[in-house]
Amino acid sequence: MFRFLLPAAALLATLAMAARTEPHTADPGATMTWTLSREGNLAKLAFGVPDSDHLAVMLTCAPGGTVSVYGPVRPDSPALLQARTVKAPIDPLSGEHLANARMPRDDRALAQLTSGAGLPVVNELDERSLIPADGAGRRLARTFLAHCASART
């Protein structure tokens, strides 16, 4: 009887270990890239690690609307308008206040993203840098801005 129970128990233990679920985390070697997605009539252009919550900046807009900015860095633009809110919402993932910023879709920083080397950004310490954009990133940015400028809802 033990001759059958021992191998069966070992098999069950092996299957239990194999079926164990692990939280999905981004590959530490994963590179950040530009991605474009849509949720209903809202378009989202983000620079970050694909299929993760690890991002530097995300831009969103609906047709005919302004561009909303989220993330730890923001486009380096004098036209960036801080939304006037009494209390900023808290990000459930980081626990930090979310800055609600908007900018016009024809802003010079966004134009530089579509035709230049990338998006000029500034962090919360007012340090300036450039998020690079290759040909594919510039095409995604042009598609994003065309969606923002469209009149369809």
Side-chain angles (χ1 to χ4, degrees):
M1 176 157 201
F2 287 109
R3 198 170 38 165
F4 297 108
L5 288 178
L6 242 37
L11 177 64
L12 285 174
T14 303
L15 290 174
M17 291 278 290
R20 170 179 84 167
T21 59
E22 295 287 329
H24 177 70
T25 57
D27 177 12
T31 57
M32 297 179 97
T33 187
W34 288 101
T35 58
L36 178 64
S37 62
R38 290 199 174 99
E39 287 184 15
N41 70 343
L42 187 70
K44 296 180 179 182
L45 179 66
F47 184 76
V49 177
D51 301 322
S52 78
D53 291 331
H54 189 88
L55 63 88
V57 65
M58 179 172 62
L59 309 170
T60 66
C61 74
T66 59
V67 175
S68 294
V69 180
Y70 305 93
V73 299
R74 63 187 184 279
D76 185 9
S77 169
L80 193 65
L81 306 171
Q82 290 293 335
R84 305 287 185 224
T85 59
V86 175
K87 186 175 179 183
I90 294 178
D91 179 8
L93 296 175
S94 70
E96 298 175 4
H97 287 282
L98 289 172
N100 186 4
R102 296 184 314 266
M103 63 191 306
R105 61 184 175 267
D106 60 352
D107 186 81
R108 66 170 173 78
L110 298 176
Q112 184 175 341
L113 173 60
T114 62
S115 61
L119 180 67
V121 294
V122 62
N123 66 15
E124 56 195 27
L125 300 174
D126 288 330
E127 299 169 330
R128 288 170 169 67
S129 61
L130 184 75
I131 295 178
D134 59 5
R138 288 189 296 272
R139 280 190 296 281
L140 291 175
R142 284 192 291 270
T143 302
F144 171 76
L145 291 175
H147 173 83
C148 298
S150 70
R152 64 182 173 91
T153 58

